[in-house]
Amino acid sequence: MPVDAFARELLDWYDAYARTLPWRGPPGTPPPDPYRVWLSEVMLQQTTVAAVAPHFERFVTRWPTVADLAAAPDADVMQAWAGLGYYARARNLLACARVVAASGWPRDEAGLRELPGVGAYTAAAIASIAFGQVAVVVDGNVERVMARLFAVETPIPAARPLLRAHAATLAPAHRPGDYAQALMDLGATVCTPRNPRCDACPVSLWCAARTTGDPARYPIRAAKIPRPIRHGTAFRLEVDGHILLVRRPPRGLLGGMRALPSTEWSTEPSDWHAAAPVAVDWRPVPGEVRHVFTHFELRLRVMTATLPARPAVPGEWWPVETLGAAGLPTLFAKALRG
DNA sequence: TACGCGTGGGC
DNA sequence: TGCCCAAGCGT
């Protein structure tokens, strides 16, 4: 593999075909604000560009600088993050903003790596994109591109060290930020998981997977495990046009988010009476909410009751007509939609 | 190293 | 429709 030619072809392609995204400037322009780079990279962790873009715009409008974000109340940030998923990111985002507001941005990859919610990938991405430093930026796109370029037969995740080594070999000293984004854009728009567009690929000449005739076979993945099903019951308690919401524990699944009162979610349906916020005449909402999490599928029954006066129970009473602004995780928004 | 951690879109 | 997976991180 001619390393210099590879980077040159990729950067030429990027200069012509780079996606226009709210958090970056055109190819060859000065680095964007580190705040915007960091915020977008955290939002993009395991999350699609389409889902991130509107949230990113709202965040930078409401909190234009890292100091503004650092000064925001936790509840406001969690609410603004609602719907994006992986809510630990929002908690780490605030913790990180407060460190940076107090101490400034670390200027190198090792320092960035110490920040909450900033792992190997994100540290390398910020160092290269915001600070122009040479770094080996390896995300899922880069893994796929490397697996195909070198026709790596070892399954992911065991192949990760090898894929990183290949990426390190190819990383140029010139335009490191644009190069990192070029590789990711290539993976997102040309070297896609299914139906890769090899005809449009600027580096197909050097791609081993293409010569096999089945580039989509790469990367090889370890066999997946079946997703178990859990069952639970949630409670919709209404008094005078208000619904009872609770705050979930700060860590774990949907940690720190507003929620409907609910039973635990277990592999077998179990009695829900003990988990009900009050002992009243609950009526079942017809049907069942199915919601897929990363490692299980939830089937949630909803019980509903309407009372004439508020019982003395923990939680907050939220007006029904503004529930859309409560910042509920998608699961509970679905449960309330019926 | 393996698992826990959300959600939505594409095919 | 069910399945795949997306700019991963923390423990």
Side-chain angles (χ1 to χ4, degrees), chain A residues 200-224:
Chain A
C201 179
V203 295
S204 63
L205 178 66
W206 301 303
C207 183
R210 190 188 192 190
T211 67
T212 71
D214 189 13
R217 190 167 74 87
Y218 302 90
I220 313 286
R221 294 192 183 276
K224 66 176 187 335

Side-chain angles (χ1 to χ4, degrees), chain A residues 83-166:
Chain A
L84 266 185
Y86 286 134
Y87 298 98
R89 293 185 297 171
R91 303 193 294 272
N92 286 325
L93 190 82
L94 256 176
C96 183
R98 288 167 183 164
V99 170
V100 171
S103 309
W105 288 104
R107 293 280 155 174
D108 58 35
E109 194 176 342
L112 291 162
R113 181 69 181 78
E114 299 302 312
L115 295 170
V118 177
Y121 160 76
T122 304
I126 298 171
S128 63
I129 298 169
F131 297 123
Q133 297 175 2
V134 175
V136 183
V137 181
V138 183
D139 71 335
N141 288 305
V142 177
E143 287 182 350
R144 184 172 57 257
V145 171
M146 294 301 144
R148 289 178 179 166
L149 278 173
F150 298 95
V152 173
E153 296 292 339
T154 309
I156 286 178
R160 292 220 159 95
L162 174 60
L163 297 173
R164 162 170 288 276
H166 284 315

Side-chain angles (χ1 to χ4, degrees), chain A residues 141-265:
Chain A
N141 288 305
V142 177
E143 287 182 350
R144 184 172 57 257
V145 171
M146 294 301 144
R148 289 178 179 166
L149 278 173
F150 298 95
V152 173
E153 296 292 339
T154 309
I156 286 178
R160 292 220 159 95
L162 174 60
L163 297 173
R164 162 170 288 276
H166 284 315
T169 300
L170 292 175
H174 184 54
R175 297 177 64 187
D178 281 348
Y179 174 83
Q181 295 178 94
L183 213 44
M184 293 190 284
D185 271 26
L186 186 75
T189 65
V190 173
C191 196
T192 48
R194 281 169 296 192
N195 305 316
R197 302 165 50 224
C198 300
D199 292 348
C201 179
V203 295
S204 63
L205 178 66
W206 301 303
C207 183
R210 190 188 192 190
T211 67
T212 71
D214 189 13
R217 190 167 74 87
Y218 302 90
I220 313 286
R221 294 192 183 276
K224 66 176 187 335
I225 60 171
R227 199 192 308 271
I229 295 173
R230 295 187 196 172
H231 301 268
T233 300
F235 302 95
R236 180 189 185 281
L237 184 59
E238 180 172 347
V239 177
D240 191 26
H242 291 66
I243 296 287
L244 177 66
L245 298 181
V246 297
R247 180 79 61 181
R248 290 180 62 86
R251 273 175 289 280
L253 188 68
L254 307 176
M257 301 299 290
R258 287 199 179 103
L260 291 178
S262 165
T263 62
E264 298 296 304
W265 303 335

